[in-house]
């Protein structure tokens, strides 16, 4: 299928997904969400890709939200359907079997902030700005914001941001734990690649199982969570990379992981 608003490039073990609709500040319409869904299919099947960087085209905006011109005339059922589409795609991204780093240049608003939150790690430029402006448009956040924001920054701060629509700068986003790191705009992709490459040096099956244990474990009680960790820990021992990693340590040689 031909992609209209999303591009996918590969650089060795790292894939770069770009939301590419700069005329609308990369706003997410249904077409863009469907493109992203197709790209996720590709990434799922790509055993040579260990880490994904997700970014937006241009320097002004990561993603300025869901597309307001597409949403404005929706009725209740259509609104729900649009929310379900966005949530389905974002959940697939969150559950992708490799880490996803959001590289956020500028605006990450509404669905854009929600997209960033569905990624594992967020690196923001000093120029990035974040908000959930939905209630100012007469709607709730619809692509996971009411759920992921409190999980990331705590209940009180999430409610403040969602009820007020306050737009916060990168330094405040860092302070409240919404982003992992803030870097100069000109270094954004370099920093994202540096982190991606560092992750890609480690055993990909182990990284994948860490993501699984963290994501699933955070949704259940601590006893079930520890049981999930035990299972994932056990699974590592059926991988060749576990033997390689431990033998390389014992033999004091460089390791060479094969994603097997
Ligand atoms: N949807 C559709 N188009 C958008 C858009 C959006 N979310 N954000 C920006 N655009 C379009 C503008 O309409 C404009 O298009 P035209 O040139 O054809 O008029 C173009 O992008 C450039 O935008 P501006 O002229 O507005 O640029 P600016 O520099 O003056 O302002 C901005 C930038 C502050 C980001 C402003 O565009 C803005 O406030 N955008 C909307 C942000 C927003 O409210 N996002 C949340 C959407 S709701 C949502 O996401 C729901 C959900 O949870 C799923």
């Amino acid at each position: 299928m031909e992609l209209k608003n999303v591009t996918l490039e590969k650089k060795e073990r790292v894939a770069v997904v770009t939301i590419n609709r700069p005329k609308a500040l990369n706003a997410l319409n249904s077409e863009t969400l469907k493109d992203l869904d197709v790209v996720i299919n590709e990434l799922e099947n790509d055993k040579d890709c260990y880490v994904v960087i997700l970014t937006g085209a241009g320097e002004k905006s990561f993603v300025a939200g869901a597309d307001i011109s597409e949403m404005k005339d929706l009725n209740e059922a259509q609104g729900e359907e649009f929310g379900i589409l966005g949530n389905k795609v974002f959940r697939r991204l969150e559950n992708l079997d490799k880490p996803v780093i959001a590289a956020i240049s500028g605006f990450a608003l509404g669905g854009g902030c929600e997209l960033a939150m569905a990624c594992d790690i967020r690196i923001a430029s000093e120029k990035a700005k974040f908000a959930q402006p939905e209630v100012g448009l007469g709607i709730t956040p619809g692509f996971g914001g009411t759920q992921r924001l409190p999980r990331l920054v705590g209940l009180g701060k999430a409610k403040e941001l969602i009820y007020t629509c306050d737009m916060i700068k990168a330094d405040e986003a860092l302070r409240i734990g919404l982003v992992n790191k803030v870097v100069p705009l000109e270094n954004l992709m370099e920093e994202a690649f540096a982190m991606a490459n560092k992750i890609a040096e480690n055993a990909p099956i182990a990284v994948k199982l860490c993501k699984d244990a963290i994501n699933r474990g955070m949704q259940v009680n601590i006893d079930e969570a520890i049981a999930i960790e035990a299972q994932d820990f056990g699974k590592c021992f059926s991988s060749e990379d576990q033997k390689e990693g431990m033998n390389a340590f014992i033999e004091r040689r460089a390791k060479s992981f094969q994603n097997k």
Side-chain angles (χ1 to χ4, degrees):
M1 187 181 132
E2 197 196 325
L3 300 175
K4 296 211 175 77
N5 300 323
V6 179
T7 63
L8 173 61
E9 295 160 89
K10 310 256 178 70
K11 204 168 170 201
E12 295 169 3
R13 299 296 190 199
V14 180
V16 180
V17 176
T18 305
I19 309 296
N20 186 23
R21 217 186 148 219
K23 276 194 291 190
L25 302 184
N26 305 321
L28 300 170
N29 57 6
S30 312
E31 194 176 68
T32 308
L33 290 168
K34 285 174 187 162
D35 279 0
L36 190 53
D37 202 42
V38 171
V39 164
I40 294 169
N41 288 340
E42 242 182 82
L43 293 169
E44 266 177 359
N45 293 321
D46 187 345
K47 296 292 162 231
D48 296 326
C49 163
Y50 293 178
V51 185
V52 178
I53 297 172
L54 176 68
T55 194
E59 294 189 343
K60 184 170 172 181
S61 179
F62 170 68
V63 167
D67 191 299
I68 297 169
S69 49
E70 182 175 336
M71 283 185 294
K72 74 180 180 42
D73 295 323
L74 299 184
N75 63 28
E76 181 174 345
Q78 292 163 331
E80 187 174 345
E81 197 182 323
F82 189 57
I84 289 170
L85 172 65
N87 270 314
K88 184 194 93 174
V89 177
F90 285 18
R91 192 83 178 110
R92 289 193 68 208
L93 188 71
E94 188 169 45
N95 287 331
L96 187 68
D97 67 349
K98 42 208 96 184
V100 184
I101 300 171
I104 304 156
S105 54
F107 292 115
L109 308 178
C113 187
E114 293 169 306
L115 178 60
M117 290 191 289
C119 298
D120 295 273
I121 292 167
R122 284 151 291 284
I123 303 180
S125 93
E126 289 165 347
K127 303 244 183 310
K129 290 191 176 147
F130 300 82
Q132 295 293 157
E134 286 87 351
V135 294
L137 294 162
I139 56 173
T140 65
F143 295 167
T146 60
Q147 304 310 309
R148 291 193 183 92
L149 191 59
R151 283 165 168 80
L152 263 177
V153 305
L155 204 56
K157 198 69 199 172
K159 285 181 172 175
E160 179 190 331
L161 288 171
I162 290 171
Y163 300 166
T164 62
C165 304
D166 278 352
M167 195 181 287
I168 59 169
K169 293 184 178 165
D171 57 349
E172 174 69 354
L174 181 66
R175 197 186 66 77
I176 65 173
L178 180 54
V179 301
N180 297 64
K181 200 171 183 176
V182 178
V183 301
L185 178 59
E186 58 273 23
N187 298 348
L188 179 63
M189 290 312 285
E190 185 188 320
E191 293 273 354
F193 267 104
M195 191 184 284
N197 286 327
K198 192 185 256 191
I199 296 170
E201 280 172 18
N202 296 316
I205 292 171
V207 172
K208 171 180 94 172
L209 289 167
C210 288
K211 176 167 175 171
D212 176 76
I214 295 168
N215 278 4
R216 287 203 291 137
M218 288 300 286
Q219 309 308 322
V220 296
N221 72 49
I222 187 74
D223 292 317
E224 285 177 48
I226 291 294
I228 290 170
E229 187 191 75
Q231 272 174 0
D232 281 339
F233 181 67
K235 281 181 195 162
C236 296
F237 291 82
S238 69
S239 72
E240 290 177 20
D241 285 346
Q242 174 267 325
K243 306 291 177 247
E244 168 61 15
M246 294 194 177
N247 284 330
F249 174 81
I250 303 281
E251 293 160 20
R252 296 181 184 277
R253 62 170 172 79
K255 63 210 171 196
S256 168
F257 293 126
Q258 303 298 323
N259 196 15
K260 285 186 186 156

